[in-house]
């Protein structure tokens, strides 16, 4: 069976948690596409002279990306998140990551991909598209707690600034900007618990599967 769930939205809206839960519930494979851009951003940062990311280095890193790069344990830092969003605006970087994502989506047994352009560019024919959002304050609080739990020394204000800068860059870029696909189901998680958000997403998948049978 081929069944693709595309989950997009701004940073820290709950996409990851929802995607993992939906994948586990239906036995689908899950790809966090943000990790691809983080891995390229990490490699570009490693090769950056004076902290300036160079497009050619980023493009070469995207073309040479190895699945083992996704397992690095230093991809979840704020610096890598910003670098990911910088390299993600380079069309050649996005192009280099396209086939891997589309192949993943087309695998037998179903797939959930989460990111920014899954419903609009990577999988325009996905069986279900969700666009997950939450208020800036709630997203910043969730990400702050995650970072502190992971041992990072940061402040709420710094996290909020980081999220806003990334969202603005992701939404303003010409290449596959962050925006909901026309037919996406909107899921605002501002007032929802994790369990309630997951339940809404699971219900949407079930409904879509039923429609497919009918
Ligand atoms: O999802 P995550 O916050 O890990 O993504 C890091 C960055 O990677 C995003 O801010 C965005 O710039 C980029 N990204 C993207 N397209 C995707 C997934 C992530 O441009 N499909």
């Amino acid at each position: 069976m081929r069944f693709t769930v595309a989950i997009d939205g701004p940073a820290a809206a709950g996409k990851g948690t929802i995607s993992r839960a939906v994948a586990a519930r239906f036995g689908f494979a899950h790809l966090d596409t943000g990790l691809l851009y983080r891995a390229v951003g990490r490699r570009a940062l490693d090769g950056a002279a004076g902290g300036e990311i160079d497009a050619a280095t980023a493009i070469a890193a995207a073309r040479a990306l190895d699945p083992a790069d996704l397992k690095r344990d230093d991809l979840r830092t704020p610096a890598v998140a910003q670098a990911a969003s910088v390299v993600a605006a380079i069309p050649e970087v996005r192009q280099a990551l396209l086939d891997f994502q589309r192949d993943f989506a087309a695998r037998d047994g179903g797939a959930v991909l989460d990111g920014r352009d899954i419903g609009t560019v990577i999988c325009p024919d996905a069986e279900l598209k969700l666009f997950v959002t939450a208020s800036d304050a709630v997203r910043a609080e969730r990400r702050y707690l995650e970072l502190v739990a992971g041992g990072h020394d940061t402040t709420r204000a710094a996290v909020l600034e980081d999220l806003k800068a990334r969202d603005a860059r992701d939404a303003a870029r010409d290449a596959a900007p962050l925006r909901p696909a026309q037919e996406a189901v909107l899921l605002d998680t501002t007032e929802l618990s994790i369990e309630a958000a997951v339940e809404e997403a699971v219900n949407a998948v079930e409904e879509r599967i039923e429609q497919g049978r009918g």
Side-chain angles (χ1 to χ4, degrees), residues 42-190:
R42 174 78 263 171
R43 300 245 318 234
L45 270 184
D46 292 345
E52 266 304 297
I53 286 179
D54 164 65
T57 309
I59 295 166
R63 290 183 179 151
L65 199 66
D66 186 276
D69 292 339
L70 306 182
K71 298 207 169 76
R72 284 179 66 153
D73 59 7
D74 55 358
L75 300 181
R76 297 271 175 214
T77 68
V80 173
Q82 289 297 340
S85 142
V86 171
V87 302
I90 303 170
E92 292 88 343
V93 166
R94 307 197 72 84
Q95 182 62 37
L97 302 176
L98 191 70
D99 286 349
F100 176 76
Q101 295 174 83
R102 286 204 174 140
D103 289 349
F104 190 96
R107 64 172 52 199
D108 218 22
V112 182
L113 285 81
D114 73 280
R116 304 292 186 288
D117 64 336
I118 308 303
T120 51
V121 174
I122 305 296
C123 304
D125 298 329
E127 276 70 18
L128 178 68
K129 301 176 183 181
L130 294 178
F131 194 82
V132 183
T133 59
S135 71
D136 289 355
V138 162
R139 292 187 298 118
E141 182 66 16
R142 289 180 188 154
R143 183 52 49 92
Y144 170 76
L145 294 175
E146 253 173 51
L147 287 168
V148 169
H152 292 281
D153 184 19
T154 185
T155 63
R156 288 181 167 81
V159 173
L160 180 61
E161 208 173 296
D162 177 86
L163 290 187
K164 282 185 166 174
R166 266 203 301 147
D167 291 345
R169 200 185 287 119
D170 292 348
R173 70 186 177 213
D174 290 332
L178 166 68
R179 62 176 176 79
Q182 223 171 17
E183 61 280 43
V185 176
L186 298 184
L187 180 51
D188 184 337
T189 67
T190 306

